[in-house]
Amino acid sequence: MNWMAVFSPCRAGRSWLARGQHPLRSSIGAWLGMGTSLALGTWAMGAFGASAALVAPIGASAVLVFAVPASPLAQPRAVLGGNLVSALIGMLLARVGLGPWLVLPLAVGLAILAMHALRCLHPPGGAMALVAAMGTHGAPWPWTFLLSPAASNTLALLAAGWLFNNCTGSRYPHHNETLPEHGLPMAIDYDPADLAAVLDELEDRPDISTEDLDSIVRAVFVRHAMRQP
């Protein structure tokens, strides 16, 4: 029955109750962020003749921005770049005249490739590319789709994320954090380049920046040294 282990929840320890990470906080933030996106999208429909006020991928973006604001996938560059680049790719493919069996999978694949190349990997970008490639009522979305709802929804969500996260204990955008013990003598020293090399060797790289992991490892070494006689 070991195969059932893949459905077991991960052992997150106290992380879900860590500073700025309470589930209720994330839920309220997403509610406010989505409301802001909907409000701006509705205004844009009247101002620019946009075809929709809100697109579904923004809901997935909200999960990252409000539930894991320190993740590299949730940073403003990733959210804005990932959504807009993916939307553009989907809209372009919708106009090449190929069948949906080719266009839809290709939109997601090319969006991932582009996000990697531009260093703005954002998982909801795959959904944004798919929505953009599908079009509306059998026809491609108008080019205003890129401005609204794609850009307007994303920018509104980022603005709400910046305000809400910084008011509730999470710095956003995330900056590499220097832990309090970082300046004390370390029990063991190492080259951060070795840490980066080890991360690159992992089959499944954890969702954390090399700089943040370096700060954590150094703080662990210092705490260990402080307990020694």
Side-chain angles (χ1 to χ4, degrees):
M1 299 295 290
N2 289 338
W3 62 272
M4 295 186 66
V6 300
F7 298 102
S8 301
C10 60
R11 296 181 179 179
R14 297 185 303 165
S15 63
W16 72 282
L17 287 176
R19 182 179 61 185
Q21 293 299 304
H22 195 285
L24 182 59
R25 171 203 166 275
S26 302
S27 176
I28 294 173
W31 170 54
L32 294 174
M34 292 300 294
T36 304
S37 298
L38 179 59
L40 184 58
T42 301
W43 172 82
M45 288 184 70
F48 303 105
S51 49
L54 194 66
V55 285
I58 297 300
S61 295
V63 174
L64 291 170
V65 170
F66 294 100
V68 284
S71 169
L73 305 177
Q75 300 315 298
R77 176 189 176 93
V79 180
L80 183 61
N83 279 340
L84 295 189
V85 167
S86 300
L88 179 60
I89 289 174
M91 293 177 68
L92 289 172
L93 287 176
R95 288 165 165 78
V96 299
L98 301 176
W101 290 100
L102 180 60
V103 166
L104 300 183
L106 187 59
V108 177
L110 290 180
I112 293 174
L113 183 63
M115 288 187 287
H116 270 298
L118 297 174
R119 298 175 58 194
C120 59
L121 187 64
H122 184 59
M128 185 68 80
L130 191 61
V131 169
M134 291 174 65
T136 177
H137 302 296
W141 290 102
W143 289 110
T144 53
F145 177 90
L146 194 62
L147 176 64
S148 182
S152 63
N153 285 178
T154 303
L155 290 172
L157 185 74
L158 287 174
W162 172 79
L163 181 62
F164 184 83
N165 282 320
N166 285 287
C167 288
T168 57
S170 291
R171 291 182 300 175
Y172 187 79
H174 176 69
H175 301 287
N176 298 324
E177 186 171 2
T178 300
L179 298 175
E181 300 86 358
H182 202 150
L184 298 178
M186 287 182 55
I188 304 174
D189 200 0
Y190 68 95
D191 188 342
D194 293 330
L195 180 60
V198 170
L199 287 174
D200 289 338
E201 292 173 358
L202 295 177
E203 182 176 353
D204 296 313
R205 183 185 175 100
D207 183 21
I208 185 173
S209 70
T210 303
E211 293 79 10
D212 278 346
L213 187 56
D214 176 56
S215 293
I216 294 171
V217 172
R218 289 178 181 274
V220 171
F221 285 156
V222 169
R223 285 181 176 272
H224 173 76
M226 293 172 63
R227 290 198 302 269
Q228 302 309 306

